[in-house]
Amino acid sequence: MFGKNVRMERIVDRNTGNCVIVPMDHGISVGPIPGIRDFKKTVNDVSCGGATAVLMHKGMVPHGHRTSGGDVGLILHLSASTDIGVNSQSKVLVASVEDGLKLGADAISVHINVGAQDEPKMLEDAGMVSSKCMDWGMPLLAMTYARGPSIKDSFNPEAVAHAARVGAELGADIVKCSYTGDIDSFSRVVEGCPVPIVIAGGPQMDSDMDILNMVADSLQAGGHGVSIGRNVFQHRDVQGIMGAIHDICLKGFTAKEAYEAHFESQ
């Protein structure tokens, strides 16, 4: 569908087919943490740094639309829960595909915790959203994680591969999942998912090189970019880390080259 192709080109780099997404939907789950308090500034910083898209909830779109810097796509997130609620793993829909169209979004995203107690409802909701996206020619990003009572290790390659495949099976155009820790195991995750995969950033990491090596290794394994939040927007130099990740994903830099280009002189 032509409309979907046009929208995809606003969130995916045309030359490489890779994405550099910065999710900033954390305000519902954990509140106004550092990095997303001054929402507009952070959007401007990641835009200037080279993000291809930012991801947020509907109420933050008017407060987070960029006012300077480069062009950046908008992904509207539909799923929510709070960490102080009874069951933070239970994601419910708080917006619609039509909301995304009204707000000028270039894509929609949903969250599925595979293995959670409310997994059936999340699958049902994601399937419904996927059908709506197909009707409107709207790209869909599925955030799929292996999380729940029976999941002993959410980074287990088999569990991650299963979660990623769920996103593809439901009709997602891009799947976001956890990085499994090494190139060999993550390449098997990629092999089992017929749509492009981007990696989550997870908790804040110990060093810049840890972040950049993870990004570079995921690409070597066949990944198509990143969807990294706190390791970007809570960084001491948001534009610097964003620029380094951009250069790895879209320019083919090694982790070392990207670090030297953006941090060596500091």
Side-chain angles (χ1 to χ4, degrees):
M1 187 178 292
F2 184 72
K4 177 178 281 191
N5 292 339
V6 169
R7 294 183 178 99
M8 284 288 285
E9 288 184 349
R10 296 177 187 148
I11 63 172
V12 177
D13 179 67
R14 294 184 183 184
N15 295 322
T16 62
N18 293 342
C19 308
V20 181
I21 301 168
V22 181
M24 291 186 280
D25 56 310
H26 303 65
I28 285 184
S29 57
V30 295
I33 58 176
I36 57 170
R37 288 176 180 165
D38 188 343
F39 205 72
K40 186 164 288 188
K41 180 182 185 303
T42 302
V43 172
N44 285 335
D45 284 345
V46 300
S47 174
C48 289
T52 60
V54 290
L55 182 151
M56 63 188 70
H57 284 289
K58 62 183 179 182
M60 298 306 293
V61 174
H63 308 290
H65 186 69
R66 76 192 192 295
T67 55
S68 64
D71 193 16
V72 67
L74 171 63
I75 303 174
L76 187 71
H77 195 44
L78 306 192
S79 306
S81 68
T82 71
D83 282 3
I84 59 175
V86 175
N87 184 1
S88 64
Q89 293 179 349
S90 176
K91 300 291 181 177
V92 298
L93 297 181
V94 294
S96 66
V97 176
E98 289 80 3
D99 288 333
L101 291 165
K102 293 172 186 176
L103 290 166
D106 303 303
I108 295 296
S109 70
V110 293
H111 184 135
I112 309 165
N113 286 323
V114 178
Q117 286 183 322
D118 292 332
E119 175 198 279
K121 178 59 176 172
M122 285 181 274
L123 292 174
E124 180 182 33
D125 287 345
M128 180 272 292
V129 170
S130 176
S131 295
K132 284 282 188 180
C133 284
M134 290 176 181
D135 288 343
W136 287 107
M138 179 69 81
L140 176 62
L141 166 68
M143 303 182 184
T144 59
Y145 299 101
R147 294 175 180 169
S150 64
I151 306 296
K152 295 180 181 179
D153 177 9
S154 61
F155 298 96
N156 176 276
E158 290 186 3
V160 173
H162 190 169
R165 183 58 178 253
V166 166
E169 294 275 351
L170 291 175
D173 300 286
I174 302 170
V175 168
K176 173 182 176 178
C177 67
S178 300
Y179 183 61
T180 53
D182 63 82
I183 295 171
D184 288 343
S185 65
F186 196 66
S187 67
R188 293 195 293 274
V189 175
V190 172
E191 287 171 3
C193 183
V195 301
I197 286 181
V198 298
I199 61 165
Q204 283 186 287
M205 301 180 77
D206 293 334
S207 73
D208 296 335
M209 283 304 298
D210 285 344
I211 300 169
L212 301 180
N213 280 323
M214 178 181 71
V215 173
D217 288 351
S218 74
L219 294 176
Q220 188 175 336
H224 278 272
V226 302
S227 178
I228 295 179
R230 284 167 290 185
N231 280 298
V232 169
F233 65 68
Q234 291 189 328
H235 196 274
R236 67 185 185 282
D237 180 356
V238 173
Q239 291 193 34
I241 194 66
M242 189 79 271
I245 293 171
H246 170 276
D247 287 350
I248 294 170
C249 291
L250 306 188
K251 294 184 178 180
F253 281 33
T254 65
K256 185 174 184 293
E257 289 170 342
Y259 181 83
E260 290 175 347
H262 292 273
F263 296 110
E264 195 77 346
S265 61
Q266 295 184 9

